[in-house]
Amino acid sequence: AKAGVDVQIVQLAPLALYNCVRFDALTDAPRVEEYDAENPPDSTGILSVGAEATDLVITDGIRVWQRSIPLGGNHFTKALTKELKLTFSKAEHLKRNASSAQDPKALFQAMRSAFAELSTELQRSISYFASVEKRANLTRIIAMGNAMKLPGLRKILEQNLGMPVTR
């Protein structure tokens, strides 16, 4: 009220991600009354990489599954501070400008553990999802968040997850 904004609805981030993708990207998803649980449509993963955490939401347009992973963009920055002995602000600057750095290869080498840790957690989450939702067929990931601007992250995720990852 103080800001002059009339708030109608507050949503948790994973639900907002679902709504965004469901109504903007999954336009061909079936209506609830047409949904066949025995033969569900392909599922899409939504990956939102924040500063401190990553939300993974998987949906076929009707059913929704989500997990929050306590790894985010700052995890990559902290790997740089540790490996290259930099202050957090210098490491953050280098990370944001990795492709134009003096030695980009050294930066990626320093962040390799963060890349691997995020990939492993995502693989673990997707494997768990597949064990619970046996009929589901996850075919793609839509990724968002500033950390997805990191050169090479999308490609590494595609390789490790075995499916297309689009921004």
Side-chain angles (χ1 to χ4, degrees), residues 38-153:
E38 296 300 312
N39 187 24
D42 288 344
S43 292
T44 296
I46 305 110
L47 184 66
S48 177
V49 185
E52 294 294 335
T54 297
D55 286 320
L56 174 63
V57 177
I58 301 174
T59 184
D60 59 12
I62 302 295
R63 300 191 64 167
V64 182
W65 181 90
Q66 77 96 150
R67 176 169 183 234
S68 186
I69 300 166
L71 300 170
N74 286 349
H75 197 69
F76 293 91
T77 307
K78 289 172 187 171
L80 288 174
T81 63
K82 182 180 175 188
E83 295 297 319
L84 302 178
K85 312 250 186 291
L86 300 170
T87 64
F88 189 86
S89 61
K90 281 194 180 209
E92 182 69 20
H93 179 76
L94 268 176
K95 179 187 79 174
R96 289 177 182 263
N97 300 287
S99 54
S100 61
Q102 267 186 318
D103 188 359
K105 191 175 180 179
L107 287 181
F108 295 111
Q109 189 68 23
M111 291 187 287
R112 191 170 64 182
S113 64
F115 280 111
E117 202 170 342
L118 180 60
S119 290
T120 299
E121 283 301 314
L122 289 171
Q123 286 171 320
R124 183 178 302 146
S125 297
I126 291 169
S127 292
Y128 178 76
F129 166 78
S131 74
V132 172
E133 297 291 335
K134 297 197 185 323
R135 289 186 171 87
N137 182 31
L138 179 60
T139 59
R140 68 181 175 146
I141 303 281
I142 298 171
M144 54 189 74
N146 255 353
M148 290 310 301
K149 292 179 183 175
L150 262 173
L153 179 56

Side-chain angles (χ1 to χ4, degrees), residues 115-116 119-120 123 155-162:
F115 280 111
S119 290
T120 299
Q123 286 171 320
K155 186 176 180 182
I156 287 171
L157 292 176
E158 276 187 340
Q159 290 169 347
N160 291 334
L161 302 177

